[in-house]
Amino acid sequence: GNSVTQMEGPVTLSEEAFLTINCTYTATGYPSLFWYVQYPGEGLQLLLKATKADDKGSNKGFEATYRKETTSFHLEKGSVQVSDSAVYFCALKPGAGSYQLTFGKGTKLSVIP
Amino acid sequence: DGGITQSPKYLFRKEGQNVTLSCEQNLNHDAMYWYRQDPGQGLRLIYYSQIVNDFQKGDIAEGYSVSREKKESFPLTVTSAQKNPTAFYLCASSLGQAAYEQYFGPGTRLTVT
């Protein structure tokens, strides 16, 4: 079956530090990959996506590259801000014909001034 | 503004009572979804609907029911058969089979005592 594994949190960083949140997946076929962000008490917002191998998704300074050879989609940001404090979810969608997203358990990030 | 609304934000019920959570979207999306979020568990799919008057069970449908009588509305009923109903419930929608992004509402936190 399909599954997503994220690094466990919580992760605490100082402002302007470099961020990496690891995400690996198991899926049949050619899934699309996503990062969602959830701010406290809110729903999820799509942060970035990649639909095929070697694609790089980017948004708001965050980046992730779809690596088929290592089945990974690690989230990175060069310099985090306090406003980036949130829970980050990695997710996959098996293929264009599938409606179902499979989520990782989420990684809580806290950025301190 | 287009978006997804969920009401209420907080809901309290006594054990043994059925409760219905509201989800409305004005994005003209065909597909709608219900997820359950528990601490440290990520999101799990309860039900989804691709078109009006049609819906399918997700991974954890037992103890829940849905209806899709209108394109913009997808209410979720948590029945007394759901053994552990206290959770954060998220509604989402997407354009349809060819679309990748799911857009999420702000969520409803249900507490059953």
Side-chain angles (χ1 to χ4, degrees):
Chain A
N2 302 311
S3 67
V4 174
T5 303
Q6 288 180 237
M7 64 185 288
E8 291 193 15
V11 175
T12 302
L13 295 174
S14 297
E15 208 166 17
E16 298 184 3
F18 185 86
L19 168 71
T20 300
I21 300 178
N22 290 338
C23 171
T24 57
Y25 67 90
T26 302
T28 54
Y30 302 94
S32 296
L33 302 172
F34 306 84
W35 277 102
Y36 282 85
V37 58
Q38 183 178 35
Y39 298 101
E42 297 184 8
L44 274 67
Q45 301 174 26
L46 179 65
L47 182 59
L48 54 84
K49 69 178 185 182
T51 58
K52 61 183 187 296
D54 299 325
D55 268 2
K56 178 186 283 188
S58 61
N59 186 26
K60 299 181 182 179
F62 291 90
E63 293 184 340
T65 301
Y66 187 164
R67 302 285 189 201
K68 192 166 178 62
E69 64 276 12
T70 54
T71 61
S72 65
F73 192 54
H74 305 322
L75 182 68
E76 296 182 335
K77 186 175 185 183
S79 176
V80 294
Q81 306 300 313
V82 172
S83 57
D84 294 327
S85 298
V87 180
Y88 292 82
F89 292 92
C90 186
L92 73 82
K93 191 162 173 287
S98 173
Y99 283 81
Q100 187 159 346
L101 279 172
T102 298
F103 286 87
K105 293 186 177 182
T107 302
K108 183 175 181 180
L109 169 67
S110 296
V111 180
I112 54 177
Chain B
D1 286 340
I4 302 174
T5 56
Q6 291 185 245
S7 60
K9 190 167 180 64
Y10 300 96
L11 193 52
F12 299 88
R13 281 294 183 271
K14 294 291 187 185
E15 200 172 317
Q17 293 179 335
N18 292 354
V19 58
T20 297
L21 282 59
S22 167
C23 177
E24 304 278 332
Q25 55 98 358
N26 61 2
L27 300 168
N28 200 32
H29 284 174
D30 291 310
M32 296 186 74
Y33 313 79
W34 274 105
Y35 292 90
R36 172 183 171 134
Q37 185 179 16
D38 296 286
Q41 292 296 318
L43 277 72
R44 292 179 291 171
L45 183 66
I46 304 172
Y47 268 98
Y48 68 99
S49 169
Q50 299 175 31
I51 56 172
V52 173
N53 293 322
D54 185 54
F55 48 82
Q56 284 78 41
K57 293 181 180 179
D59 297 324
I60 56 164
E62 185 175 350
Y64 299 97
S65 66
V66 293
S67 63
R68 187 87 187 276
E69 297 177 1
K70 297 185 296 183
K71 186 175 185 178
E72 59 270 23
S73 179
F74 191 41
L76 173 75
T77 297
V78 184
T79 75
S80 57
Q82 168 50 234
K83 290 182 172 49
N84 186 17
T86 294
F88 190 48
Y89 290 88
L90 288 159
C91 179
S93 70
S94 66
L95 271 171
Q97 190 169 9
Y100 295 106
E101 291 93 331
Q102 291 185 15
Y103 296 84
F104 284 80
T108 292
R109 185 166 299 282
L110 173 65
T111 303
V112 177
T113 57

